[in-house]
Amino acid sequence: MFHDAVDDPGDHSADELYGRYEALLVETVEEVGPSEASERSGVDRETVDALLAGEGPELTLEEAAALLALGVEEDGDTVAALDRDALLIGMTNAVVDVEALARGVESDLEARELQAKVEGRFPMTLREFADVHRYLQTRQ
């Protein structure tokens, strides 16, 4: 899971966390091969190739979780759900509401939109996940 892929995520920038997550995805895709990774994850081959080429494609948390699941015992839906749960638990532990979270992350998302992304009602990008996770870890 992405939420436990990096020790001390609060000590890293969102870009550094995203870079670590992306490196983990590249490693996983290289292990299974790009064709199989695309086929098994449902992520289109162009996106997988862009990931391998270091182009930093904009992956949703669900797409990234589907790729990561190729190298773990959980399926992609479970990986994404566990990562979202980690954010919700992080909000509780840090005593952060969505208004404070919206002020603390490096985006222009409104509190309600951010809440919907954390809860899984709107798609969240892996970059957004990295930013939210980093912020919550700095507050605990």
Side-chain angles (χ1 to χ4, degrees):
M1 291 7 95
F2 294 107
H3 69 273
D4 61 4
V6 177
D7 291 334
D8 301 319
D11 292 341
H12 301 279
S13 71
D15 286 339
E16 289 171 335
L17 280 182
Y18 178 79
R20 299 263 182 107
Y21 299 158
E22 194 172 59
L24 185 60
L25 293 175
V26 167
E27 181 182 313
T28 301
V29 169
E30 287 175 341
E31 286 177 13
V32 299
S35 293
E36 186 174 340
S38 176
E39 185 178 319
R40 288 178 44 202
S41 69
V43 176
D44 68 71
R45 178 63 191 265
E46 292 169 351
T47 302
V48 171
D49 288 342
L51 177 68
L52 291 175
E55 297 172 5
E58 198 65 45
L59 295 166
T60 64
L61 179 59
E62 288 76 12
E63 290 171 324
L67 289 170
L68 184 62
L70 299 173
V72 298
E73 304 223 354
E74 308 292 344
D75 62 50
D77 291 339
T78 301
V79 171
L82 290 171
D83 282 329
R84 287 183 191 285
D85 286 350
L87 295 182
L88 293 168
I89 291 167
M91 288 177 69
T92 301
N93 290 341
V95 191
V96 172
D97 64 14
V98 291
E99 297 290 334
L101 183 60
R103 288 189 303 271
V105 297
E106 299 171 12
S107 76
D108 295 328
L109 296 173
E110 294 180 21
R112 296 184 92 190
E113 183 180 10
L114 187 56
Q115 179 179 2
K117 287 177 177 259
V118 169
E119 292 173 349
R121 293 182 285 124
F122 288 166
M124 173 182 263
T125 68
L126 187 58
R127 288 182 190 278
E128 290 168 335
F129 176 85
D131 191 16
V132 170
H133 189 225
R134 178 212 51 86
Y135 175 73
L136 292 173
Q137 292 298 308
T138 63
R139 303 281 302 186
Q140 293 184 16

mmCIF file of all heavy atoms in Angstrom, residues 29-81:
data_model
loop_
_atom_site.group_PDB
_atom_site.id
_atom_site.type_symbol
_atom_site.label_atom_id
_atom_site.label_comp_id
_atom_site.label_asym_id
_atom_site.label_seq_id
_atom_site.Cartn_x
_atom_site.Cartn_y
_atom_site.Cartn_z
ATOM 1 N N VAL A 29 5.858 -2.869 -12.337
ATOM 2 C CA VAL A 29 5.571 -3.066 -13.762
ATOM 3 C C VAL A 29 6.731 -3.786 -14.444
ATOM 4 O O VAL A 29 6.520 -4.680 -15.268
ATOM 5 C CB VAL A 29 5.249 -1.730 -14.458
ATOM 6 C CG1 VAL A 29 5.212 -1.880 -15.970
ATOM 7 C CG2 VAL A 29 3.932 -1.171 -13.944
ATOM 8 N N GLU A 30 7.952 -3.427 -14.092
ATOM 9 C CA GLU A 30 9.112 -4.090 -14.694
ATOM 10 C C GLU A 30 9.158 -5.573 -14.328
ATOM 11 O O GLU A 30 9.589 -6.390 -15.135
ATOM 12 C CB GLU A 30 10.406 -3.389 -14.285
ATOM 13 C CG GLU A 30 10.582 -2.052 -14.986
ATOM 14 C CD GLU A 30 11.803 -1.284 -14.519
ATOM 15 O OE1 GLU A 30 12.339 -1.572 -13.420
ATOM 16 O OE2 GLU A 30 12.237 -0.372 -15.261
ATOM 17 N N GLU A 31 8.716 -5.911 -13.134
ATOM 18 C CA GLU A 31 8.712 -7.312 -12.707
ATOM 19 C C GLU A 31 7.745 -8.166 -13.516
ATOM 20 O O GLU A 31 8.051 -9.309 -13.840
ATOM 21 C CB GLU A 31 8.363 -7.423 -11.216
ATOM 22 C CG GLU A 31 9.473 -7.008 -10.293
ATOM 23 C CD GLU A 31 9.066 -7.049 -8.825
ATOM 24 O OE1 GLU A 31 8.017 -7.620 -8.487
ATOM 25 O OE2 GLU A 31 9.825 -6.485 -8.012
ATOM 26 N N VAL A 32 6.583 -7.622 -13.834
ATOM 27 C CA VAL A 32 5.582 -8.410 -14.566
ATOM 28 C C VAL A 32 5.602 -8.145 -16.065
ATOM 29 O O VAL A 32 5.046 -8.935 -16.829
ATOM 30 C CB VAL A 32 4.152 -8.201 -14.015
ATOM 31 C CG1 VAL A 32 4.063 -8.622 -12.575
ATOM 32 C CG2 VAL A 32 3.679 -6.788 -14.210
ATOM 33 N N GLY A 33 6.229 -7.066 -16.488
ATOM 34 C CA GLY A 33 6.258 -6.686 -17.895
ATOM 35 C C GLY A 33 5.126 -5.733 -18.220
ATOM 36 O O GLY A 33 4.025 -5.861 -17.671
ATOM 37 N N PRO A 34 5.374 -4.783 -19.107
ATOM 38 C CA PRO A 34 4.367 -3.753 -19.389
ATOM 39 C C PRO A 34 3.079 -4.293 -20.003
ATOM 40 O O PRO A 34 1.992 -3.829 -19.659
ATOM 41 C CB PRO A 34 5.080 -2.788 -20.332
ATOM 42 C CG PRO A 34 6.310 -3.469 -20.790
ATOM 43 C CD PRO A 34 6.630 -4.540 -19.813
ATOM 44 N N SER A 35 3.171 -5.259 -20.888
ATOM 45 C CA SER A 35 1.948 -5.798 -21.510
ATOM 46 C C SER A 35 1.068 -6.473 -20.477
ATOM 47 O O SER A 35 -0.140 -6.217 -20.410
ATOM 48 C CB SER A 35 2.295 -6.799 -22.619
ATOM 49 O OG SER A 35 2.907 -6.145 -23.685
ATOM 50 N N GLU A 36 1.677 -7.330 -19.664
ATOM 51 C CA GLU A 36 0.909 -8.032 -18.636
ATOM 52 C C GLU A 36 0.387 -7.054 -17.590
ATOM 53 O O GLU A 36 -0.746 -7.182 -17.117
ATOM 54 C CB GLU A 36 1.759 -9.115 -17.976
ATOM 55 C CG GLU A 36 0.969 -9.958 -17.004
ATOM 56 C CD GLU A 36 1.767 -11.131 -16.449
ATOM 57 O OE1 GLU A 36 2.761 -11.537 -17.051
ATOM 58 O OE2 GLU A 36 1.349 -11.622 -15.381
ATOM 59 N N ALA A 37 1.202 -6.056 -17.236
ATOM 60 C CA ALA A 37 0.766 -5.064 -16.253
ATOM 61 C C ALA A 37 -0.469 -4.324 -16.753
ATOM 62 O O ALA A 37 -1.429 -4.134 -16.009
ATOM 63 C CB ALA A 37 1.892 -4.082 -15.952
ATOM 64 N N SER A 38 -0.439 -3.928 -18.013
ATOM 65 C CA SER A 38 -1.578 -3.221 -18.581
ATOM 66 C C SER A 38 -2.811 -4.119 -18.626
ATOM 67 O O SER A 38 -3.901 -3.708 -18.208
ATOM 68 C CB SER A 38 -1.238 -2.736 -19.989
ATOM 69 O OG SER A 38 -2.346 -2.134 -20.585
ATOM 70 N N GLU A 39 -2.613 -5.328 -19.096
ATOM 71 C CA GLU A 39 -3.743 -6.249 -19.226
ATOM 72 C C GLU A 39 -4.361 -6.592 -17.872
ATOM 73 O O GLU A 39 -5.577 -6.531 -17.698
ATOM 74 C CB GLU A 39 -3.281 -7.529 -19.917
ATOM 75 C CG GLU A 39 -4.406 -8.497 -20.192
ATOM 76 C CD GLU A 39 -3.919 -9.734 -20.929
ATOM 77 O OE1 GLU A 39 -3.088 -9.598 -21.851
ATOM 78 O OE2 GLU A 39 -4.379 -10.824 -20.575
ATOM 79 N N ARG A 40 -3.536 -6.928 -16.908
ATOM 80 C CA ARG A 40 -4.055 -7.364 -15.609
ATOM 81 C C ARG A 40 -4.607 -6.223 -14.767
ATOM 82 O O ARG A 40 -5.529 -6.417 -13.974
ATOM 83 C CB ARG A 40 -2.962 -8.106 -14.822
ATOM 84 C CG ARG A 40 -2.665 -9.482 -15.395
ATOM 85 C CD ARG A 40 -1.552 -10.220 -14.682
ATOM 86 N NE ARG A 40 -1.608 -10.160 -13.247
ATOM 87 C CZ ARG A 40 -0.550 -10.355 -12.454
ATOM 88 N NH1 ARG A 40 0.633 -10.603 -12.969
ATOM 89 N NH2 ARG A 40 -0.684 -10.281 -11.142
ATOM 90 N N SER A 41 -4.048 -5.028 -14.911
ATOM 91 C CA SER A 41 -4.480 -3.891 -14.086
ATOM 92 C C SER A 41 -5.634 -3.112 -14.709
ATOM 93 O O SER A 41 -6.350 -2.408 -14.003
ATOM 94 C CB SER A 41 -3.314 -2.932 -13.853
ATOM 95 O OG SER A 41 -2.955 -2.282 -15.066
ATOM 96 N N GLY A 42 -5.756 -3.199 -16.029
ATOM 97 C CA GLY A 42 -6.758 -2.394 -16.715
ATOM 98 C C GLY A 42 -6.277 -0.987 -17.039
ATOM 99 O O GLY A 42 -7.027 -0.178 -17.568
ATOM 100 N N VAL A 43 -5.023 -0.682 -16.719
ATOM 101 C CA VAL A 43 -4.442 0.627 -17.040
ATOM 102 C C VAL A 43 -3.942 0.554 -18.477
ATOM 103 O O VAL A 43 -3.236 -0.386 -18.856
ATOM 104 C CB VAL A 43 -3.281 0.966 -16.076
ATOM 105 C CG1 VAL A 43 -2.614 2.276 -16.468
ATOM 106 C CG2 VAL A 43 -3.786 1.020 -14.633
ATOM 107 N N ASP A 44 -4.318 1.546 -19.301
ATOM 108 C CA ASP A 44 -3.975 1.451 -20.718
ATOM 109 C C ASP A 44 -2.464 1.410 -20.931
ATOM 110 O O ASP A 44 -1.689 1.943 -20.136
ATOM 111 C CB ASP A 44 -4.648 2.559 -21.544
ATOM 112 C CG ASP A 44 -4.105 3.934 -21.240
ATOM 113 O OD1 ASP A 44 -2.959 4.222 -21.624
ATOM 114 O OD2 ASP A 44 -4.840 4.727 -20.623
ATOM 115 N N ARG A 45 -2.088 0.755 -21.996
ATOM 116 C CA ARG A 45 -0.667 0.500 -22.276
ATOM 117 C C ARG A 45 0.113 1.795 -22.446
ATOM 118 O O ARG A 45 1.270 1.891 -22.042
ATOM 119 C CB ARG A 45 -0.553 -0.393 -23.519
ATOM 120 C CG ARG A 45 0.869 -0.708 -23.954
ATOM 121 C CD ARG A 45 1.633 -1.502 -22.880
ATOM 122 N NE ARG A 45 3.025 -1.582 -23.171
ATOM 123 C CZ ARG A 45 3.612 -2.587 -23.805
ATOM 124 N NH1 ARG A 45 2.918 -3.625 -24.183
ATOM 125 N NH2 ARG A 45 4.896 -2.563 -24.046
ATOM 126 N N GLU A 46 -0.483 2.816 -23.047
ATOM 127 C CA GLU A 46 0.213 4.099 -23.224
ATOM 128 C C GLU A 46 0.597 4.698 -21.874
ATOM 129 O O GLU A 46 1.683 5.253 -21.716
ATOM 130 C CB GLU A 46 -0.660 5.071 -24.010
ATOM 131 C CG GLU A 46 -0.863 4.654 -25.447
ATOM 132 C CD GLU A 46 -1.931 5.481 -26.140
ATOM 133 O OE1 GLU A 46 -2.630 6.272 -25.471
ATOM 134 O OE2 GLU A 46 -2.076 5.308 -27.359
ATOM 135 N N THR A 47 -0.281 4.590 -20.901
ATOM 136 C CA THR A 47 0.000 5.114 -19.565
ATOM 137 C C THR A 47 1.107 4.310 -18.901
ATOM 138 O O THR A 47 2.017 4.876 -18.281
ATOM 139 C CB THR A 47 -1.279 5.101 -18.706
ATOM 140 O OG1 THR A 47 -2.278 5.885 -19.355
ATOM 141 C CG2 THR A 47 -1.026 5.648 -17.318
ATOM 142 N N VAL A 48 1.063 2.994 -19.047
ATOM 143 C CA VAL A 48 2.114 2.135 -18.487
ATOM 144 C C VAL A 48 3.460 2.469 -19.127
ATOM 145 O O VAL A 48 4.467 2.606 -18.430
ATOM 146 C CB VAL A 48 1.751 0.641 -18.666
ATOM 147 C CG1 VAL A 48 2.927 -0.256 -18.298
ATOM 148 C CG2 VAL A 48 0.526 0.280 -17.840
ATOM 149 N N ASP A 49 3.476 2.629 -20.437
ATOM 150 C CA ASP A 49 4.719 2.977 -21.134
ATOM 151 C C ASP A 49 5.239 4.344 -20.692
ATOM 152 O O ASP A 49 6.447 4.530 -20.522
ATOM 153 C CB ASP A 49 4.511 2.956 -22.652
ATOM 154 C CG ASP A 49 4.352 1.542 -23.194
ATOM 155 O OD1 ASP A 49 4.726 0.565 -22.501
ATOM 156 O OD2 ASP A 49 3.833 1.410 -24.325
ATOM 157 N N ALA A 50 4.326 5.301 -20.498
ATOM 158 C CA ALA A 50 4.736 6.629 -20.028
ATOM 159 C C ALA A 50 5.332 6.546 -18.627
ATOM 160 O O ALA A 50 6.316 7.227 -18.319
ATOM 161 C CB ALA A 50 3.540 7.582 -20.051
ATOM 162 N N LEU A 51 4.763 5.703 -17.791
ATOM 163 C CA LEU A 51 5.296 5.498 -16.442
ATOM 164 C C LEU A 51 6.717 4.958 -16.522
ATOM 165 O O LEU A 51 7.630 5.462 -15.864
ATOM 166 C CB LEU A 51 4.391 4.538 -15.667
ATOM 167 C CG LEU A 51 4.836 4.142 -14.267
ATOM 168 C CD1 LEU A 51 4.760 5.341 -13.326
ATOM 169 C CD2 LEU A 51 3.980 3.001 -13.747
ATOM 170 N N LEU A 52 6.922 3.946 -17.355
ATOM 171 C CA LEU A 52 8.252 3.342 -17.505
ATOM 172 C C LEU A 52 9.259 4.304 -18.116
ATOM 173 O O LEU A 52 10.451 4.236 -17.814
ATOM 174 C CB LEU A 52 8.164 2.071 -18.341
ATOM 175 C CG LEU A 52 7.452 0.892 -17.696
ATOM 176 C CD1 LEU A 52 7.328 -0.260 -18.678
ATOM 177 C CD2 LEU A 52 8.154 0.446 -16.422
ATOM 178 N N ALA A 53 8.783 5.220 -18.948
ATOM 179 C CA ALA A 53 9.662 6.193 -19.599
ATOM 180 C C ALA A 53 9.978 7.385 -18.702
ATOM 181 O O ALA A 53 10.726 8.281 -19.091
ATOM 182 C CB ALA A 53 9.025 6.671 -20.902
ATOM 183 N N GLY A 54 9.406 7.404 -17.487
ATOM 184 C CA GLY A 54 9.671 8.497 -16.565
ATOM 185 C C GLY A 54 8.919 9.773 -16.898
ATOM 186 O O GLY A 54 9.313 10.858 -16.474
ATOM 187 N N GLU A 55 7.821 9.654 -17.625
ATOM 188 C CA GLU A 55 7.054 10.823 -18.045
ATOM 189 C C GLU A 55 6.049 11.286 -17.000
ATOM 190 O O GLU A 55 5.372 12.296 -17.201
ATOM 191 C CB GLU A 55 6.348 10.525 -19.371
ATOM 192 C CG GLU A 55 7.311 10.264 -20.506
ATOM 193 C CD GLU A 55 6.638 9.785 -21.772
ATOM 194 O OE1 GLU A 55 5.390 9.736 -21.835
ATOM 195 O OE2 GLU A 55 7.372 9.445 -22.716
ATOM 196 N N GLY A 56 5.921 10.564 -15.900
ATOM 197 C CA GLY A 56 5.027 10.975 -14.824
ATOM 198 C C GLY A 56 3.583 11.120 -15.234
ATOM 199 O O GLY A 56 2.994 12.181 -15.019
ATOM 200 N N PRO A 57 2.983 10.087 -15.809
ATOM 201 C CA PRO A 57 1.574 10.211 -16.201
ATOM 202 C C PRO A 57 0.693 10.451 -14.980
ATOM 203 O O PRO A 57 1.013 10.020 -13.879
ATOM 204 C CB PRO A 57 1.255 8.856 -16.843
ATOM 205 C CG PRO A 57 2.208 7.907 -16.201
ATOM 206 C CD PRO A 57 3.459 8.712 -15.960
ATOM 207 N N GLU A 58 -0.390 11.158 -15.192
ATOM 208 C CA GLU A 58 -1.319 11.476 -14.099
ATOM 209 C C GLU A 58 -2.187 10.259 -13.819
ATOM 210 O O GLU A 58 -3.188 10.042 -14.477
ATOM 211 C CB GLU A 58 -2.167 12.689 -14.461
ATOM 212 C CG GLU A 58 -2.833 13.337 -13.278
ATOM 213 C CD GLU A 58 -1.845 13.939 -12.298
ATOM 214 O OE1 GLU A 58 -0.904 14.620 -12.723
ATOM 215 O OE2 GLU A 58 -2.020 13.721 -11.088
ATOM 216 N N LEU A 59 -1.783 9.470 -12.837
ATOM 217 C CA LEU A 59 -2.517 8.265 -12.461
ATOM 218 C C LEU A 59 -3.513 8.575 -11.351
ATOM 219 O O LEU A 59 -3.194 9.323 -10.429
ATOM 220 C CB LEU A 59 -1.553 7.197 -11.934
ATOM 221 C CG LEU A 59 -0.540 6.635 -12.912
ATOM 222 C CD1 LEU A 59 0.544 5.874 -12.160
ATOM 223 C CD2 LEU A 59 -1.235 5.724 -13.905
ATOM 224 N N THR A 60 -4.692 7.983 -11.449
ATOM 225 C CA THR A 60 -5.600 8.061 -10.311
ATOM 226 C C THR A 60 -5.095 7.094 -9.249
ATOM 227 O O THR A 60 -4.305 6.181 -9.536
ATOM 228 C CB THR A 60 -7.037 7.669 -10.706
ATOM 229 O OG1 THR A 60 -7.056 6.299 -11.100
ATOM 230 C CG2 THR A 60 -7.585 8.570 -11.805
ATOM 231 N N LEU A 61 -5.568 7.272 -8.035
ATOM 232 C CA LEU A 61 -5.208 6.342 -6.966
ATOM 233 C C LEU A 61 -5.641 4.932 -7.342
ATOM 234 O O LEU A 61 -4.916 3.972 -7.096
ATOM 235 C CB LEU A 61 -5.837 6.777 -5.640
ATOM 236 C CG LEU A 61 -5.563 5.873 -4.441
ATOM 237 C CD1 LEU A 61 -4.066 5.752 -4.165
ATOM 238 C CD2 LEU A 61 -6.301 6.392 -3.216
ATOM 239 N N GLU A 62 -6.802 4.796 -7.982
ATOM 240 C CA GLU A 62 -7.300 3.477 -8.380
ATOM 241 C C GLU A 62 -6.400 2.823 -9.419
ATOM 242 O O GLU A 62 -6.124 1.623 -9.342
ATOM 243 C CB GLU A 62 -8.741 3.574 -8.895
ATOM 244 C CG GLU A 62 -9.767 3.826 -7.824
ATOM 245 C CD GLU A 62 -9.801 5.273 -7.321
ATOM 246 O OE1 GLU A 62 -9.184 6.171 -7.959
ATOM 247 O OE2 GLU A 62 -10.424 5.498 -6.279
ATOM 248 N N GLU A 63 -5.944 3.601 -10.404
ATOM 249 C CA GLU A 63 -5.024 3.051 -11.415
ATOM 250 C C GLU A 63 -3.704 2.633 -10.773
ATOM 251 O O GLU A 63 -3.192 1.544 -11.046
ATOM 252 C CB GLU A 63 -4.754 4.081 -12.515
ATOM 253 C CG GLU A 63 -5.923 4.354 -13.420
ATOM 254 C CD GLU A 63 -5.672 5.533 -14.339
ATOM 255 O OE1 GLU A 63 -5.025 6.524 -13.927
ATOM 256 O OE2 GLU A 63 -6.149 5.455 -15.487
ATOM 257 N N ALA A 64 -3.171 3.512 -9.936
ATOM 258 C CA ALA A 64 -1.909 3.201 -9.268
ATOM 259 C C ALA A 64 -2.056 1.977 -8.368
ATOM 260 O O ALA A 64 -1.185 1.105 -8.328
ATOM 261 C CB ALA A 64 -1.433 4.408 -8.463
ATOM 262 N N ALA A 65 -3.176 1.884 -7.664
ATOM 263 C CA ALA A 65 -3.420 0.735 -6.792
ATOM 264 C C ALA A 65 -3.543 -0.551 -7.600
ATOM 265 O O ALA A 65 -3.054 -1.604 -7.175
ATOM 266 C CB ALA A 65 -4.682 0.965 -5.961
ATOM 267 N N ALA A 66 -4.167 -0.474 -8.772
ATOM 268 C CA ALA A 66 -4.291 -1.657 -9.628
ATOM 269 C C ALA A 66 -2.917 -2.134 -10.093
ATOM 270 O O ALA A 66 -2.653 -3.336 -10.155
ATOM 271 C CB ALA A 66 -5.189 -1.351 -10.827
ATOM 272 N N LEU A 67 -2.019 -1.196 -10.398
ATOM 273 C CA LEU A 67 -0.660 -1.570 -10.776
ATOM 274 C C LEU A 67 0.111 -2.116 -9.576
ATOM 275 O O LEU A 67 0.792 -3.139 -9.682
ATOM 276 C CB LEU A 67 0.075 -0.372 -11.381
ATOM 277 C CG LEU A 67 -0.397 0.072 -12.762
ATOM 278 C CD1 LEU A 67 0.239 1.400 -13.137
ATOM 279 C CD2 LEU A 67 -0.081 -0.994 -13.807
ATOM 280 N N LEU A 68 0.000 -1.449 -8.446
ATOM 281 C CA LEU A 68 0.709 -1.908 -7.252
ATOM 282 C C LEU A 68 0.239 -3.298 -6.831
ATOM 283 O O LEU A 68 1.037 -4.122 -6.368
ATOM 284 C CB LEU A 68 0.500 -0.913 -6.106
ATOM 285 C CG LEU A 68 1.266 -1.196 -4.817
ATOM 286 C CD1 LEU A 68 2.772 -1.144 -5.069
ATOM 287 C CD2 LEU A 68 0.881 -0.192 -3.748
ATOM 288 N N ALA A 69 -1.036 -3.574 -7.027
ATOM 289 C CA ALA A 69 -1.609 -4.865 -6.637
ATOM 290 C C ALA A 69 -0.977 -6.030 -7.390
ATOM 291 O O ALA A 69 -1.057 -7.172 -6.934
ATOM 292 C CB ALA A 69 -3.121 -4.859 -6.844
ATOM 293 N N LEU A 70 -0.341 -5.751 -8.511
ATOM 294 C CA LEU A 70 0.319 -6.814 -9.268
ATOM 295 C C LEU A 70 1.480 -7.427 -8.483
ATOM 296 O O LEU A 70 1.886 -8.537 -8.765
ATOM 297 C CB LEU A 70 0.832 -6.275 -10.611
ATOM 298 C CG LEU A 70 -0.236 -5.717 -11.545
ATOM 299 C CD1 LEU A 70 0.424 -5.059 -12.755
ATOM 300 C CD2 LEU A 70 -1.211 -6.793 -11.973
ATOM 301 N N GLY A 71 1.976 -6.691 -7.501
ATOM 302 C CA GLY A 71 3.116 -7.176 -6.723
ATOM 303 C C GLY A 71 2.813 -7.448 -5.262
ATOM 304 O O GLY A 71 3.724 -7.690 -4.479
ATOM 305 N N VAL A 72 1.540 -7.376 -4.883
ATOM 306 C CA VAL A 72 1.164 -7.643 -3.488
ATOM 307 C C VAL A 72 0.022 -8.655 -3.463
ATOM 308 O O VAL A 72 -0.491 -9.044 -4.502
ATOM 309 C CB VAL A 72 0.763 -6.339 -2.737
ATOM 310 C CG1 VAL A 72 1.923 -5.361 -2.670
ATOM 311 C CG2 VAL A 72 -0.455 -5.689 -3.368
ATOM 312 N N GLU A 73 -0.358 -9.043 -2.287
ATOM 313 C CA GLU A 73 -1.381 -10.073 -2.151
ATOM 314 C C GLU A 73 -2.807 -9.536 -2.229
ATOM 315 O O GLU A 73 -3.749 -10.317 -2.272
ATOM 316 C CB GLU A 73 -1.187 -10.804 -0.823
ATOM 317 C CG GLU A 73 0.200 -11.376 -0.697
ATOM 318 C CD GLU A 73 0.220 -12.767 -0.137
ATOM 319 O OE1 GLU A 73 -0.837 -13.261 0.269
ATOM 320 O OE2 GLU A 73 1.301 -13.341 -0.122
ATOM 321 N N GLU A 74 -2.987 -8.243 -2.257
ATOM 322 C CA GLU A 74 -4.317 -7.627 -2.298
ATOM 323 C C GLU A 74 -4.682 -7.278 -3.738
ATOM 324 O O GLU A 74 -3.807 -7.113 -4.583
ATOM 325 C CB GLU A 74 -4.330 -6.348 -1.456
ATOM 326 C CG GLU A 74 -3.827 -6.499 -0.045
ATOM 327 C CD GLU A 74 -4.737 -7.331 0.837
ATOM 328 O OE1 GLU A 74 -5.904 -7.563 0.480
ATOM 329 O OE2 GLU A 74 -4.268 -7.762 1.899
ATOM 330 N N ASP A 75 -5.965 -7.116 -3.994
ATOM 331 C CA ASP A 75 -6.378 -6.641 -5.310
ATOM 332 C C ASP A 75 -6.367 -5.104 -5.299
ATOM 333 O O ASP A 75 -6.246 -4.474 -4.255
ATOM 334 C CB ASP A 75 -7.752 -7.196 -5.708
ATOM 335 C CG ASP A 75 -8.860 -6.765 -4.761
ATOM 336 O OD1 ASP A 75 -8.971 -5.557 -4.470
ATOM 337 O OD2 ASP A 75 -9.642 -7.634 -4.330
ATOM 338 N N GLY A 76 -6.478 -4.522 -6.479
ATOM 339 C CA GLY A 76 -6.399 -3.070 -6.610
ATOM 340 C C GLY A 76 -7.444 -2.319 -5.815
ATOM 341 O O GLY A 76 -7.156 -1.275 -5.223
ATOM 342 N N ASP A 77 -8.669 -2.830 -5.792
ATOM 343 C CA ASP A 77 -9.730 -2.163 -5.028
ATOM 344 C C ASP A 77 -9.403 -2.144 -3.543
ATOM 345 O O ASP A 77 -9.646 -1.145 -2.855
ATOM 346 C CB ASP A 77 -11.076 -2.853 -5.256
ATOM 347 C CG ASP A 77 -11.613 -2.659 -6.658
ATOM 348 O OD1 ASP A 77 -11.196 -1.695 -7.344
ATOM 349 O OD2 ASP A 77 -12.457 -3.473 -7.083
ATOM 350 N N THR A 78 -8.852 -3.239 -3.058
ATOM 351 C CA THR A 78 -8.488 -3.314 -1.637
ATOM 352 C C THR A 78 -7.336 -2.371 -1.323
ATOM 353 O O THR A 78 -7.350 -1.685 -0.301
ATOM 354 C CB THR A 78 -8.132 -4.763 -1.244
ATOM 355 O OG1 THR A 78 -9.268 -5.603 -1.513
ATOM 356 C CG2 THR A 78 -7.749 -4.869 0.217
ATOM 357 N N VAL A 79 -6.338 -2.325 -2.206
ATOM 358 C CA VAL A 79 -5.205 -1.411 -2.004
ATOM 359 C C VAL A 79 -5.710 0.025 -1.921
ATOM 360 O O VAL A 79 -5.356 0.771 -1.002
ATOM 361 C CB VAL A 79 -4.153 -1.569 -3.130
ATOM 362 C CG1 VAL A 79 -3.101 -0.473 -3.054
ATOM 363 C CG2 VAL A 79 -3.491 -2.942 -3.058
ATOM 364 N N ALA A 80 -6.551 0.434 -2.870
ATOM 365 C CA ALA A 80 -7.078 1.810 -2.861
ATOM 366 C C ALA A 80 -7.907 2.070 -1.610
ATOM 367 O O ALA A 80 -7.789 3.140 -0.988
ATOM 368 C CB ALA A 80 -7.910 2.066 -4.120
ATOM 369 N N ALA A 81 -8.731 1.109 -1.217
ATOM 370 C CA ALA A 81 -9.571 1.283 -0.021
ATOM 371 C C ALA A 81 -8.717 1.412 1.233
ATOM 372 O O ALA A 81 -8.994 2.253 2.104
ATOM 373 C CB ALA A 81 -10.543 0.118 0.124
#
